[in-house]
Amino acid sequence: MSVKTDKLLSILKLQPVVPVLMIDDAATAVLLARALVAGGLNAIEITLRTPAALEAIRAVADEVEGAVAGAGTILNAAQFEAAIEAGSQFIVSPGTTQELIDVANEHEVPLLPGAATASEVMGLREEGYEVMKFFPAEQAGGAAYLKALSSPLAGSLFCPTGGISLANARDYLSLPNVVCVGGSWVAPKELVAKGDWAGITKLAAEAAALKA
Ligand code: 3PG
């Protein structure tokens, strides 16, 4: 196993659920990340879908003790570089392109690339990837689909994301090829808008307690 895969696995194995966040303002990101860390979710994915995302990654990386800040929805090399510059310790992409593979090869920060079919997984294996994001998990076929990949594609590990909640997370976590799941359910918009950090810590603690 490569050093980068090791690094990625050590981050993903910190907890059963990686929160996937859409952040509108960087100051809120710090409070939200503190609430998630207090509940036991240390690795946090901040998606580059809002103008505040890079500033939020920087703020969480600098100011939140115990947080491992990562960047999600990275679609190209420029975003990859910017996310690293902001302090991301891991990078997540919904799919895979040659551009992303190439830029990832130039950096020590690990990439969790997206795959949703056997062919995509095989392509990533050829590039040396052993750990991938299975996206969009529920819509692509769910836990049954991922289970079906486990025997022919033994050795590949996944972080399924997309449509996962407390109700179905265990279906994935019990699979031999799942390291952790990702999801936005631990940081609902309403609770963030109200600044209900205790409520978010409670959701995080429930998620952190999930076991296979
Ligand atoms: C995403 O990138 O949108 C993640 O997969 C989060 O999906 P969710 O909101 O369904 O948890």
Side-chain angles (χ1 to χ4, degrees):
M1 189 171 291
S2 76
V3 173
K4 269 201 269 188
T5 301
D6 239 7
K7 210 189 267 185
L8 180 61
L9 278 177
S10 70
I11 294 170
L12 297 179
K13 285 181 174 170
L14 287 172
Q15 63 220 344
V17 180
V18 175
V20 178
L21 308 182
M22 261 68 65
I23 301 285
D24 290 319
D25 118 85
T28 306
V30 168
L31 300 173
L32 174 53
R34 285 200 182 117
L36 291 165
V37 170
L41 302 182
N42 296 72
I44 293 171
E45 177 188 332
I46 295 173
T47 60
L48 259 69
R49 295 185 213 170
T50 60
L54 288 171
E55 199 190 337
I57 291 168
R58 197 181 309 277
V60 170
D62 289 351
E63 298 173 38
V64 183
E65 207 181 318
V68 179
T73 322
I74 297 298
L75 305 179
N76 56 46
Q79 289 179 332
F80 193 109
E81 305 270 6
I84 287 182
E85 180 71 21
S88 304
Q89 293 183 57
F90 63 102
I91 303 286
V92 186
S93 163
T96 305
T97 64
Q98 194 57 49
E99 178 173 318
L100 276 178
I101 303 254
D102 290 345
V103 72
N105 283 339
E106 291 165 19
H107 291 276
E108 294 310 311
V109 172
L111 168 66
L112 178 67
T117 66
S119 297
E120 289 167 9
V121 174
M122 289 164 66
L124 280 166
R125 286 161 69 111
E126 287 176 6
E127 297 288 346
Y129 285 84
E130 292 163 78
V131 191
M132 303 160 205
K133 163 167 164 145
F134 172 51
F135 177 82
E138 278 294 289
Q139 297 82 351
Y145 179 109
L146 195 53
K147 185 177 180 191
L149 295 183
S150 67
S151 176
L153 297 171
S156 296
L157 295 171
F158 299 89
C159 172
T161 311
I164 301 181
S165 66
L166 195 65
N168 61 4
R170 267 194 199 86
D171 299 344
Y172 292 93
L173 291 168
S174 61
L175 300 179
N177 55 350
V178 168
V179 185
C180 62
V181 301
S184 61
W185 89 88
V186 289
K189 266 200 183 104
E190 316 78 65
L191 296 195
V192 175
K194 279 195 284 185
D196 183 354
W197 310 124
I200 286 175
T201 295
K202 190 164 171 269
L203 289 176
E206 276 170 2
L210 279 168
K211 295 214 175 64

